Amino acid sequence: MALAVSALFICSLAILAFLSISYMEGEYKQSIARQQYTLVSALAENVDDKLRIAQNALAAAAANIPPDKLRESDKAQRFLDAQYSLLALFDNALFIFSPKGSIIAESPYIEGRRGRDISFRDYYKETVKSGKPVISSPYFSTHNPGQPCVILTVPIFGTDGKLTAIFAGSFNLLGQNFLEDLSHTRIGQTGYVYLFDNHRTIIIHPDKTRIMHRDVPVGINRLFDRSIAGFEGSGETRNSKGIETFSSFRHLRTTNWILAASFPIAEAYAPLKTNRIYFVTVMVAGAAVTLILVWFLMQRLTAPLSVITRHVEAVPKKPGVHNLIDLDRKDELGTLIKAFNRMAISLDQHQNALQESESNFRALADNANDGLHIITGSNRLAYVNRRAAEIIGYTVEEMLFATTENIVHPDHLPVMKERTIRKEAGEPVPEQFETMLAHKDGSCIPVEVTTARTLWQGKQAELAIVRDITDRKKAAVEIQQLAYYDTLTGLPNRSLLHDRINQSIVQAVRCNRKVGILFLDLDRFKGINDTLGHLAGDGLLAAVAERLMGCIRETDTVARIGGDEFVIIIPALEHTEDLSKVAEKILAVISKPLDLKGKEIFITASMGIAVYPDDGNDVYGLLKNADFAMYQAKDQGKNAFQYYSQELNAQALEHLMLESDLRRALERNEFVIYYQPQMDLNIGRVVGMEALLRWQHPDLGLLPPSRFISLAEETGLILPIGEWALETACAKARKLLDMGLTQLRVAVNFSGSQFRQKRFVEMVEAVLQKTGLTPLQLELELTESMIMSNAEENTNVLRKLKEMGVSLAIDDFGTGYSSLSYLKHFPIDRVKIDQMFIRDVPDSADDSAIVSAIIAMAHNLNLKVTAEGVENMNQLEFLCSRNCNEIQGYVLSAPLSEVELTRFLWGA
């Protein structure tokens, strides 16, 4: 016992000594690191300051060079020779370079060097490129051939900001200058300081033969390599000569140079070796003395323990009070006996508590909702609770001493065996996992197993908590169905569609095939939904889904992505034209009559087709292009399919860009009004003009209404544009009235959407009031289809306009309803014959007859007639012979700008 305590004491003392020495050595090394890095930092800042002083002195001299001295070499030479302070600072030479890189002057002067080209030098290129002062990397001087130098440059700019010259000064790295002091700096006896750049070139070194050399290969000096990458600090390394050193590195702030200090470890750590020997000697002597004292004391202390040990060994192992030691002593041994007796009583109490705990565990385990297995060696079931047996339909007695192989489903046995092998090999295995158990009736029971280490009868065992997750699995399947399938039709939804398309693309790439994407949308589905109700609409969608599934192969996919939109994937496609047959088949099947709530319903569909890789390389591109092609099919009349093409996409893009520009055209004042005069044939004088809207597009030029009116109506922009056109035309008419042209009226066209706006009459009235134009000088041109679309309501609007005094005209007469019978029901003043009927008169007998009939019937209804598009004298003579009231066309004048109109009217 005494020997063990003594050995423990000596080991503790040795460990303490080792830790103390290690701590002192660590503190010593850190102290060296801090001191050396502080020295290097101070030297680096000193070099930085000297470089800044040299650079500032050079810049100050450059600022004082008169411009005329930069143009003549002799004057520049005299200027340099007079810079005594700079020549003392830059011991190699002073230079003035031209912007093109030739020497204008240098001091000291050397014959034959003036005009020499130095544009190949890196410091020249960097100065010209950056326009800032530059400190060069070391280079071999041509002023003093073979001498390593560093040069500082300062650009000189003229008043126009252009480079006029470069002022430079250089110093010899082997000469007596402000860097020379670094090479004489010593650390200890053999440590030294050196300077290099980030290209590994030595700039200053005690060994002059190493200057301008790159003699530290990559990988030799670890900290040297790290410093070039940006490291600053201290550490142990091995220099290029294989000597272990304590080195410090600091980057200069003014240039890409690095200042380093190298201190051989043998010299740096020499004091540590002496201290270590002294400390160990003292510790060994102290340990020897202490060991003798401990040995003596332990002999006296352990004597009473030997007595009680012999008594305890003689006490029989009996429960309760029979385990107590019946000895009465008043010394330390008596205290120990009392402590032992208290411990024996406590152990007896703990044993009773353990028996009670075990009883509670069994009651809890037998009534738990999860199965409990205790598995011992060879995977035998040493214990199972009632729930564990119920899960797989056995009794507890049937399961005891069975193995896990007897209850795990055969399909999952390989995985369980692999887990056992990995666990026995000491590899990490998941504590929680899922598997399948074999029910007594042969069915599979999915379970979640959580395992933990435990003891059973004093041996290592594994506790497995088994939970029946049958209901969870069913819920997961339902969630999967909801997440990836449409609840109405049972078809894949958008999420699963994307995954299927990606899989088809991967397969197509592997097999060098194509993938067809058919984007289908039902025609007029909204009408059926609104008429028969949503339940009927849902029934229709389910029926369409069933028909689509009957049209495709097992390898194809039909998905519903929302509303009445379906997508069909045709994978492994060899020929693109095969999709036409599929599309025709689908359209034919869908168009068959369908019984819905006892009613026979006919439905059609429009379909767009995109092909991978021709029309897209990913899911979104293919669906977007197929969707676009589908809308093209709808525009062509529905119940059709359309392949995607780049031409269609280009048209759509142009349409989109035109729409974007149209939304800003009004605020940018890009719209203009042209005016085409109208002449009264009876008096031979201009009596009116039609306002024609044009768009002065910044890129496409002047656009006629046919290029943008339909787009304006689609976007709703026709309302503000129409109001602007009306106001502009009325303002022009008022301006002409003020100029003395009192008999002119202005005719303005309106679209159906403008005419149908609720406050149309109020808007016209407000424009007339704002511009000051009288209603009698305004004529509104409407089409036949606009008036007839809602005849009763439109009649009220026309009468209100008529009551205001505004004239009303039917534009493009003959292209719509082509009937004069309805005109008597509307307060119309004039009909305008469309130019399509005028174009071929009098040569065309049919057109001549139609025009004559229109004029005659209009006159019978007390309506005036204006012929549009009159371009030649034959047409004019024909119309005069038929008593046409007015004409408009190129025979009179082309559409005119405001200025041209004013000039035309005064000329007329």
Side-chain angles (χ1 to χ4, degrees), residues 380-405:
R380 291 196 170 274
L381 300 176
Y383 170 81
V384 295
N385 66 348
R386 177 183 55 80
R387 178 57 181 158
E390 289 177 352
I391 290 175
I392 55 176
Y394 290 94
T395 64
V396 173
E397 291 75 16
E398 288 175 326
M399 291 186 65
L400 285 177
F401 303 106
T403 64
T404 55
E405 286 82 357

Side-chain angles (χ1 to χ4, degrees), residues 830-850:
R830 180 185 313 277
V831 294
K832 299 185 70 175
I833 305 175
D834 189 79
Q835 62 179 348
M836 65 178 290
F837 299 110
I838 304 298
R839 184 180 300 116
D840 295 327
V841 295
D843 299 329
S844 171
D846 293 337
D847 286 345
S848 299
I850 292 172

Side-chain angles (χ1 to χ4, degrees), residues 133-179:
V134 171
I135 301 175
S136 76
S137 296
Y139 70 99
F140 285 108
S141 173
T142 57
H143 183 86
N144 291 318
Q147 295 298 309
C149 294
V150 170
I151 191 166
L152 280 66
T153 66
V154 173
I156 301 174
F157 297 96
T159 56
D160 57 355
K162 294 183 178 180
L163 182 69
T164 59
I166 297 175
F167 192 34
S170 69
F171 51 84
N172 194 335
L173 293 180
L174 299 180
Q176 298 294 326
N177 53 59
F178 64 86
L179 293 180

Side-chain angles (χ1 to χ4, degrees), residues 66-87:
D68 61 320
K69 293 186 178 182
L70 298 176
R71 292 190 289 270
E72 297 183 22
S73 296
D74 292 338
K75 290 183 179 180
Q77 185 66 49
R78 287 193 293 273
F79 174 82
L80 291 183
D81 293 339
Q83 304 302 311
Y84 303 112
S85 60
L86 286 180
L87 288 170

Side-chain angles (χ1 to χ4, degrees), residues 630-657:
M630 180 271 293
Y631 278 106
Q632 293 297 317
K634 281 188 176 294
D635 291 342
Q636 294 174 7
K638 303 182 178 61
N639 194 24
F641 64 89
Q642 174 69 50
Y643 282 92
Y644 172 79
S645 68
Q646 290 294 337
E647 291 77 11
L648 292 177
N649 190 47
Q651 293 174 6
L653 182 60
E654 181 184 354
H655 185 84
L656 182 63
M657 296 304 296

Side-chain angles (χ1 to χ4, degrees), residues 225-236:
D225 296 340
R226 287 182 58 195
S227 70
I228 291 175
F231 167 75
E232 289 187 332
S234 303
E236 297 179 5

